[in-house]
Amino acid sequence: MISVGEASARILKKIYPLDAETVPLERAAGRVLAETVVANTTSPPWDNSSMDGYAVRSFDLVTARNSSRASAGAADTARNQLKVVATIAAGQHALRPLGAGEAMRIMTGAPIPLGADTVIRIEDTDRGVDRVSVTDLRDLGRNIRRAGEDFTNGQTLFDPGTEIRAGHLGAFAAARVREVSVYRKPRVAILSSGDELVELRDYSPSDSPAKIISANSWTLRELITDSGGEAVDLGIAVDTPASLRAKLDLTQVERFDLIITSAGVSVGDLDHMRSVFAEMGGELDFWKVRMRPGAPMAFGTLKGIPWLGFSGNPVSAMVSFEVFGRPVIRKMAGHEKLHRELISVRLAEPVDIATPLTHFLRATVARNDDGGYVARLTGSQSSAALTAMARANALLVIPPDRASNAVGSVVHALPLTDELGMTSSFSIQ
């Protein structure tokens, strides 16, 4: 057996980002840039208003204010009157420059007319139609978004390795970037094996009294998709070398970037997966990890294609995927951050382990009153208890030398979802 950390390092050392492909923006969300993206235009293309209001010359208002204050009994807040000579809507340019003593009604996003250097927000005026009185001069020289303030034509917007999110898509569209070069999505083959397994669609209690439904076909497919890969289910092989070889036919396997199998990697009489891989030219790196669940865990390559061989127990397969499979797919897809970050949690109940292995226990983690995290087990820790896994939002990571952990003990937890970074209450005041 090797440690979890060593297994992870040995796997990821042999994984590389896939080739790049060019995709339209409609298919770019969640992908990772493989090349630098450069703007094809300037944004904003011209000075424009950041407010609904009036485009004016600050000189006119300052002059009027000084003149007013020079008069006997002048108020501190000047009421400057300007002639309204035009209205500029968004998507329109002014027909002429702004002259002395003039104002132009302007909408948010509309181009600033020549001669103007200020937009007075509408609430600081009397909203005049032919003449407008300015009641507050707090925005002199403000409320104008300058041309090129966001980016200029030819400017580098984002570098390779950037994960594309909603804001990136908006920036690409504004920069007239219609397609981008991204790392290809990993195509992942899934193969389940076992004489006892049957697909959900084929299950009949009368026809299959000793059969069980293949849960791994469902869980692994969804986990691969959630990680950014494309899952292709090769179906179920029975416990014979011939069936495994047929499912893993090289002409089919070579279409994929990663192979994930469940079951057949332990030491039972019907566990043929490792021997079949060897017969087909595969190379085995390791096949046992000091962890529970998921100790029977194989890693190798078949004709250069990485292979992860998980235990057939449903929870074991899911835990192994979270620890090893998700980082592999993310690295293939070009991500730099491969692992979900461990968090420190305080136990709400005692947790004991019976064997000196790294244990991954299914738990719910939530914030307590002091802002820290508290964790509770979700029920049975059997490697077949899928409901406990489904209820969990994290895996407690109990080291092999921590046999007994009392209430209040602090351990690490590996998040399973984004839930731990979210809240049901809005705390901004």
Side-chain angles (χ1 to χ4, degrees), residues 18-41:
L18 300 177
D19 297 334
E21 64 178 351
T22 300
V23 300
L25 290 194
E26 293 83 356
R27 291 172 43 209
R31 306 289 288 277
V32 178
L33 287 178
E35 295 180 2
T36 297
V37 175
V38 175
N40 293 323
T41 187

Side-chain angles (χ1 to χ4, degrees), residues 55-60 98 112-119 139-144 146:
V56 301
R57 304 191 323 163
S58 58
F59 178 80
D60 291 336
L98 185 70
I112 299 294
L114 290 175
D117 62 3
T118 295
V119 172
D139 282 343
L140 287 178
R142 297 180 179 175
N143 299 333
I144 295 177
R146 297 298 178 184

Side-chain angles (χ1 to χ4, degrees), residues 91-394:
Q92 299 178 350
H93 283 274
L95 298 179
R96 68 172 178 83
L98 185 70
E102 295 180 340
M104 291 186 182
R105 182 82 165 86
I106 194 167
M107 309 305 168
T108 301
I112 299 294
L114 290 175
D117 62 3
T118 295
V119 172
I120 299 295
R121 66 186 75 190
I122 195 167
E123 53 264 41
D124 289 344
T125 72
D126 66 355
R127 304 172 185 254
V129 176
D130 298 320
R131 299 192 67 82
V132 62
S133 293
V134 179
T135 57
D136 194 315
L137 302 181
R138 57 181 168 167
D139 282 343
L140 287 178
R142 297 180 179 175
N143 299 333
I144 295 177
R145 295 185 288 226
R146 297 298 178 184
E149 185 177 280
D150 194 359
F151 52 79
T152 57
N153 189 20
Q155 179 181 331
T156 295
L157 297 179
F158 301 103
D159 294 319
T162 301
E163 181 179 353
I164 300 172
R165 302 188 300 275
H168 299 98
L169 292 175
F172 295 154
R176 299 180 189 170
V177 175
R178 292 177 170 82
E179 56 186 22
V180 290
S181 176
V182 296
Y183 290 102
R184 188 166 52 78
K185 276 190 173 186
R187 285 177 53 81
V188 185
I190 310 169
L191 175 61
S192 302
S193 64
D195 290 340
E196 77 281 14
L197 297 181
V198 64
E199 297 285 6
L200 174 60
R201 62 178 176 271
D202 300 327
Y203 180 79
S204 168
S206 58
D207 297 338
S208 312
K211 299 288 188 178
I212 60 173
I213 295 167
S214 175
N216 292 343
S217 302
W218 294 86
T219 58
L220 290 175
R221 186 166 54 238
E222 177 55 31
L223 288 171
I224 290 165
T225 301
D226 182 63
S227 302
E230 294 181 355
V232 179
D233 195 343
L234 301 183
I236 299 171
V238 297
D239 288 323
T240 67
S243 179
L244 289 172
R245 281 193 294 269
K247 292 291 186 181
L248 291 170
D249 181 85
L250 286 180
T251 59
Q252 174 172 259
V253 165
E254 288 173 344
R255 299 162 41 210
F256 301 104
D257 305 300
L258 174 66
I259 306 164
I260 292 180
T261 62
S262 62
V265 292
S266 192
V267 294
D269 292 340
L270 298 180
D271 290 327
H272 302 297
M273 194 71 73
R274 287 182 290 127
S275 61
V276 167
F277 260 78
E279 292 170 11
M280 297 179 70
E283 298 181 2
L284 184 67
D285 190 303
F286 64 82
W287 75 277
K288 270 196 168 186
V289 182
R290 288 196 294 270
M291 63 185 286
R292 179 169 290 177
M297 154 71 190
F299 170 65
T301 57
L302 181 59
K303 296 296 183 181
I305 303 166
W307 163 52
L308 294 173
F310 298 152
S311 165
N313 290 316
V315 174
S316 300
M318 292 185 72
V319 169
S320 295
F321 182 90
E322 292 295 347
V323 177
F324 303 113
R326 185 180 295 274
V328 165
I329 292 173
R330 287 182 62 82
K331 187 171 183 180
M332 285 182 167
H335 291 275
E336 295 178 356
K337 295 181 179 180
L338 307 182
H339 309 274
R340 283 178 170 155
E341 189 172 356
L342 294 176
I343 59 174
S344 294
V345 300
R346 196 172 296 277
L347 297 178
E349 59 185 299
V351 172
D352 299 328
I353 59 174
T355 53
L357 303 172
T358 300
H359 282 63
F360 294 89
L361 305 180
R362 281 67 74 198
T364 55
V365 172
R367 286 198 180 274
N368 56 19
D369 293 339
D370 65 8
Y373 289 107
V374 61
R376 298 178 184 276
L377 299 179
T378 55
S380 170
Q381 296 300 303
S382 163
S383 57
L386 274 171
T387 53
M389 186 69 179
R391 294 188 185 104
N393 63 0

